[in-house]
């Protein structure tokens, strides 16, 4: 999952390097200097000091209300107090302008602003400081001077516990400081401070650093490196591009519920629970391929509606079906190219995505674009119910597959989704331009093929017309069939916020679950003694109808245990199968499609 700054290009990088060097050598009057003090891990309190350079007398400081995750989280709720003084130590007045903005008066000669903030939210989108580690999404704790957001920023960490080290994609500077060209870059750089383990490797001219903060018994660094080499080689060769020198993978494998990934321009932070890692190691490769491809799609091939980022309120965009969903499509192609999954798994994955979309009643009234606009509701359990919403990850993933097939069909296999992405990379990212949401994707498809995609975008992207799947899949010799299967039903369904615990979204009327008092909004924390995760519904549906499950449930009233008998139900699922007759040509199309290759000159 997973989600967001500005394009950096080789020439600009060189200029930036020179700029940072100047900052390093001269006293940094022009830069905003932050000191983050790690003095109080027990209470999860971080002290922040901001040195503002000389400037206008009245300065405003803004703490973002959101970052990374498309949810307003109002980080200011965790700020304990704010104080300011001038360079001579005279107290300056601090006035609250709104819940996330402060005004400092008398700062013309520079100012020293201090505040304390509570940070204890786990996961790759959060900021957490405890006796074990500090992990920072810096937007969650650093206010920015509104008039200097685009100026250089320097950050240092003080009172770092003994034995802990700092890992971050930020530029290293002398005296343990780190620099960024502007605030957006600063907060696009996660920071891990702990006794992490690390590894690194070169691949195709790029340097990769791997940071793991987890119990050593829970993972194997050599296996992770091996997987990463395959993924980065597959993705950089598919894009024919490597817009960075250094890239960092930052992993957490906590014991207990966790999950999710956060993309950045030069790094990614990923959390997978140790239990899931042990049970389904493929999850790690899948999240990693998704987040790595984001370094192009969304970080550099970036929708106009996300720029400039508005940190003071939500930033609606119609493009998440493409930026997130089609990132899923490509991630699967990368896994095939990397040799980490086979063709069957690729097709099974598409079938499962189609089943998911078709089973949600909301697919008949919420479009992929509307679902993108409504991303800001995703923190809410009611919004995530099948009656209320579809997921732009899910429909976008399918749209990516269909777009790929339509491009191939209209060019007899000579062009593909790969050409669309390379065109968008050349035409937008490398030109430092943002793309105009769905219209930009449509333009890319039409330029790639020389044919109109008006109907496709009107009906399936902006619209909710039922998708005639077989019209797309026949090109690859496939058909979509429906099947009725028996499943176990617990009498309720759950949804999980990114990486969180499953939360009950719907309870069937007159079911055992309803009689047991299970209600929408309850969190399921454990199933038969094991921690529950986002895959709970699948897990329960695969159990034997009639068997009993022990659920641990938490809500506002407390925690309790409930034992339920699973009922039996039927479910309609979709499956991709061979057409009765598959031609040699169709086989060749299928092989090229699944591998993400163009068919040159029509040869298989
Ligand atoms: Zn994502």
């Amino acid at each position: 999952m997973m989600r967001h700054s500005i394009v950096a290009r080789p020439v600009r990088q060189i200029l930036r390097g020179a700029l940072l060097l100047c900052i390093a050598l001269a006293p940094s009057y022009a830069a905003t200097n932050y000191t983050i003090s790690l003095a109080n891990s027990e209470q999860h309190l971080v002290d922040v000091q901001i040195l503002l350079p000389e400037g206008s007398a009245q300065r405003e400081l803004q703490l973002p209300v959101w970052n990374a995750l498309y949810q307003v989280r109002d980080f200011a709720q965790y700020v304990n107090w704010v104080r300011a003084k001038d360079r001579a130590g005279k107290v300056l007045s601090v006035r609250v302008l709104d819940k996330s903005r402060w005004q400092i008066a008398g700062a013309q000669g520079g100012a020293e602003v201090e505040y304390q903030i509570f940070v204890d939210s786990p996961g790759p989108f959060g900021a957490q400081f405890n006796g074990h580690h500090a992990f920072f999404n810096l937007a969650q704790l650093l206010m920015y001077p509104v008039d200097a957001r685009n100026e250089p920023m320097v950050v240092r960490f003080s009172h770092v516990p003994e034995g802990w080290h700092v890992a971050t994609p930020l530029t290293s500077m002398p005296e343990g400081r780190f620099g960024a060209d502007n605030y957006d870059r600063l907060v696009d750089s996660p920071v891990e401070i702990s006794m992490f383990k690390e590894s690194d490797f070169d691949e195709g001219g790029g340097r990769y650093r791997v940071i793991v903060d987890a119990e050593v018994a829970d993972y194997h660094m050599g296996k992770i490196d091996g997987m990463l080499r395959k993924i980065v080689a597959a993705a950089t060769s598919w894009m024919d591009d490597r817009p960075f020198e250094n890239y960092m993978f930052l992993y957490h494998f906590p014991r207990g519920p966790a999950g999710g990934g956060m993309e950045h321009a030069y790094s990614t932070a990923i959390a997978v629970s140790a239990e899931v890692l042990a049970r389904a190691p493929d999850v790690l490769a899948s999240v990693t391929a998704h987040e790595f491809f984001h370094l192009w799609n969304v970080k550099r091939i970036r929708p106009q509606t996300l720029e400039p980022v508005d940190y003071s309120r939500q930033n609606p965009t119609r493009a998440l079906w493409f930026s997130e969903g089609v990132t899923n499509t490509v991630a699967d192609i990368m896994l095939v190219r990397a040799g980490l999954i086979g063709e069957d798994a690729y097709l099974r994955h598409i079938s499962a995505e189609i089943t998911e979309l078709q089973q949600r009643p909301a697919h008949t009234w919420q479009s992929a674009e509307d679902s993108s606009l409504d991303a800001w509701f995703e923190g809410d359990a009611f919004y995530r119910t099948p009656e209320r919403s579809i997921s732009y990850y899910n429909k976008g993933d399918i749209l990516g597959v269909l777009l790929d097939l339509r491009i191939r069909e209209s060019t007899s296999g000579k062009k593909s989704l790969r050409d669309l992405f390379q065109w968008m990379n050349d035409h937008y990212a490398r030109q430092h331009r943002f793309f105009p949401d769905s219209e930009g994707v449509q333009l890319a498809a039409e330029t790639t093929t020389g044919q109109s995609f008006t109907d496709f975008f009107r009906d399936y992207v902006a619209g909710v017309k039922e998708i005639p799947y077989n019209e797309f899949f026949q090109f690859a010799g496939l058909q979509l069939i429906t099947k009725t299967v028996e499943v176990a039903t617990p009498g309720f369904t759950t949804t999980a916020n990114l990486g969180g615990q499953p939360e009950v979204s719907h309870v069937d009327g007159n079911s055992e679950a309803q009689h047991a008092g299970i209600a929408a909004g309850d969190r399921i924390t454990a199933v038969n003694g094991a921690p529950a995760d986002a895959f709970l519904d699948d897990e329960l549906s695969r159990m034997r109808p009639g068997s009993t499950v022990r659920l641990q449930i938490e809500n506002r009233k407390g925690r309790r245990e409930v034992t339920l008998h699973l009922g039996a139900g039927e479910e309609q699922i979709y499956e991709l199968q061979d057409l009765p007759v598959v031609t040699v040509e169709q086989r060749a199309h299928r092989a090229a499609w699944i591998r993400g290759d163009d068919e040159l000159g029509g040869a298989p």
Side-chain angles (χ1 to χ4, degrees):
M1 298 187 182
M2 327 172 249
R3 301 150 210 243
H4 333 286
S5 148
I6 292 215
V7 189
R9 297 286 107 199
V11 175
R12 280 169 74 189
Q13 267 169 336
I14 292 164
L15 293 172
R16 285 168 171 184
L19 184 61
L20 284 169
L21 196 61
C22 298
I23 301 168
L25 298 175
S28 358
Y29 293 122
T32 301
N33 277 263
Y34 296 93
T35 301
I36 298 174
S37 167
L38 305 181
N40 195 340
S41 66
E42 272 163 42
Q43 292 182 292
H44 317 291
L45 291 172
V46 167
D47 289 311
V48 178
Q49 182 205 58
I50 309 177
L51 290 180
L52 295 176
E54 293 169 17
S56 52
Q58 285 208 345
R59 312 291 293 277
E60 288 181 12
L61 291 168
Q62 169 82 38
L63 187 64
V65 304
W66 76 280
N67 178 250
L69 189 59
Y70 302 112
Q71 284 177 21
V72 171
R73 291 183 286 161
D74 281 326
F75 306 130
Q77 65 186 298
Y78 302 112
V79 175
N80 263 341
W81 43 259
V82 184
R83 296 196 279 256
K85 56 188 177 188
D86 68 10
R87 293 243 158 121
K90 183 178 151 244
V91 172
L92 300 178
S93 92
V94 179
R95 189 166 159 244
V96 180
L97 293 182
D98 69 30
K99 62 182 164 54
S100 301
R101 197 175 280 217
W102 292 261
Q103 188 182 63
I104 316 293
Q108 59 275 11
E112 186 185 317
V113 181
E114 287 181 300
Y115 54 92
Q116 187 172 67
I117 185 164
F118 173 81
V119 287
D120 192 30
S121 51
F125 321 100
Q128 187 175 49
F129 176 40
N130 54 35
H132 171 76
H133 81 154
F135 174 81
F136 296 142
N137 163 1
L138 291 173
Q140 196 158 335
L141 51 153
L142 299 185
M143 299 177 185
Y144 64 87
V146 173
D147 62 355
R149 174 175 158 187
N150 297 320
E151 303 297 318
M153 306 273 162
V154 177
V155 60
R156 60 184 280 271
F157 301 93
S158 73
H159 300 90
V160 173
E162 193 155 341
W164 291 22
H165 293 96
V166 181
T168 173
L170 287 167
T171 308
S172 279
M173 295 168 55
E175 296 158 27
R177 294 176 301 157
F178 297 92
D181 296 339
N182 51 54
Y183 185 78
D184 288 6
R185 259 308 291 286
L186 181 69
V187 301
D188 186 43
S189 310
V191 180
E192 167 73 17
I193 310 176
S194 65
M195 290 193 250
F196 53 79
K197 294 280 184 286
E198 81 172 284
S199 155
D200 54 57
F201 61 89
D202 292 317
E203 179 64 52
R207 181 120 196 105
Y208 299 86
R209 194 171 166 202
V210 188
I211 305 292
V212 182
D213 177 43
E215 298 285 338
V216 287
D218 292 344
Y219 67 97
H220 188 292
M221 189 70 102
K223 281 188 187 161
I224 293 175
D225 283 356
M227 169 199 83
L228 290 178
R229 277 178 184 276
K230 291 179 190 164
I231 289 173
V232 304
T236 50
S237 72
W238 196 73
M239 285 301 285
D240 191 20
D241 187 32
R242 181 175 49 78
F244 57 85
E245 298 293 320
N246 297 287
Y247 187 92
M248 179 182 290
F249 293 95
L250 219 162
Y251 290 109
H252 288 96
F253 306 127
R255 293 184 178 177
M262 186 60 232
E263 70 277 8
H264 301 282
Y266 298 92
S267 65
T268 177
I270 291 173
V272 174
S273 87
E275 290 83 2
V276 171
L277 190 65
R279 178 158 43 97
D282 293 358
V283 170
L284 186 66
S286 172
V287 180
T288 300
H290 176 102
E291 303 308 338
F292 190 71
F293 191 67
H294 266 316
L295 81 88
W296 290 282
N297 199 26
V298 100
K299 295 311 305 189
R300 291 173 174 83
I301 301 174
R302 187 157 176 82
Q304 179 66 67
T305 40
L306 285 179
E307 287 292 332
V309 173
D310 189 343
Y311 295 108
S312 70
R313 60 192 180 94
Q314 60 177 37
N315 226 151
T317 171
R318 285 195 159 80
L320 296 182
W321 70 270
F322 182 74
S323 298
E324 289 297 345
V326 185
T327 294
N328 268 347
T329 313
V330 177
D332 279 353
I333 296 171
M334 293 309 111
L335 295 177
V336 172
R337 293 179 78 84
L340 295 167
I341 65 169
E343 291 195 4
D344 287 353
Y346 183 80
L347 295 178
R348 268 201 310 278
H349 173 84
I350 297 172
S351 302
E353 292 293 331
I354 294 172
T355 298
E356 161 75 16
L357 179 67
Q358 298 300 126
Q359 280 184 349
R360 294 184 82 88
H363 84 274
T364 60
W365 63 81
Q366 188 183 44
S367 71
E369 286 190 340
D370 292 349
S371 155
S372 306
L373 284 172
D374 284 352
W376 302 85
F377 290 145
E378 283 177 334
D380 179 69
F382 178 81
Y383 175 75
R384 298 193 307 271
T385 59
E387 291 74 23
R388 173 64 183 89
S389 65
I390 61 161
S391 156
Y392 50 83
Y393 284 96
N394 169 231
K395 189 164 183 184
D397 189 343
I398 296 166
L399 289 175
V401 168
L402 302 183
L403 204 49
D404 196 4
L405 287 166
R406 179 59 55 85
I407 293 170
R408 288 169 184 277
E409 190 177 9
S410 50
T411 59
S412 305
K414 291 188 186 64
K415 301 280 181 185
S416 69
L417 191 61
R418 180 182 194 173
D419 300 282
L420 178 143
F421 269 106
Q422 290 197 3
W423 186 84
M424 290 185 80
N425 200 32
D426 291 342
H427 195 73
Y428 297 113
R430 288 175 156 162
Q431 312 293 326
H432 315 297
R433 297 195 305 175
F434 305 112
F435 72 88
D437 290 23
S438 302
E439 295 80 55
V441 184
Q442 184 177 339
L443 179 63
E446 293 178 344
T447 308
T448 302
T449 59
Q451 296 194 26
S452 170
F453 274 70
T454 303
D455 296 357
F456 184 96
F457 281 79
R458 182 196 58 217
D459 294 344
Y460 313 128
V461 176
V464 291
K465 197 165 167 192
E466 284 291 346
I467 298 168
Y469 293 104
N470 286 328
E471 284 179 19
F472 291 88
F473 287 114
Q474 60 82 26
F475 176 74
L478 292 164
Q479 58 180 335
L480 190 69
I481 56 126
T482 55
K483 251 181 160 169
T484 304
V485 293
E486 186 181 69
V487 290
T489 56
F492 62 85
T493 47
T494 64
T495 60
N497 196 7
L498 302 169
Q501 284 172 331
E503 204 173 298
V504 175
S505 57
H506 173 82
V507 183
D508 296 341
N510 211 20
S511 63
E512 206 177 313
Q514 193 188 42
H515 295 309
I518 295 176
D522 286 356
R523 284 189 313 281
I524 312 273
T525 53
V527 183
N528 294 333
D533 58 31
F535 310 107
L536 176 70
D537 287 14
D538 282 346
E539 201 185 313
L540 293 175
S541 73
R542 282 195 305 267
M543 289 181 179
R544 219 167 359 93
S547 58
T548 53
V549 279
R550 256 183 319 120
L551 303 171
Q552 185 164 284
I553 293 174
E554 276 182 33
N555 58 25
R556 247 169 268 171
K557 291 181 221 147
R559 176 188 291 187
R560 67 200 177 101
E561 205 158 271
V562 170
T563 302
L564 284 183
H565 294 90
L566 295 176
E570 284 185 342
E571 194 177 82
Q572 204 176 47
I573 62 163
Y574 292 77
E575 215 172 84
L576 283 169
Q577 288 189 351
D578 277 355
L579 282 168
V581 178
V582 184
T583 66
V584 173
E585 227 180 358
Q586 285 169 324
R587 288 222 179 269
H589 294 328
R590 189 191 303 180
W593 163 58
I594 294 177
R595 282 193 53 79
D597 286 329
D598 292 348
E599 295 176 67
L600 300 170

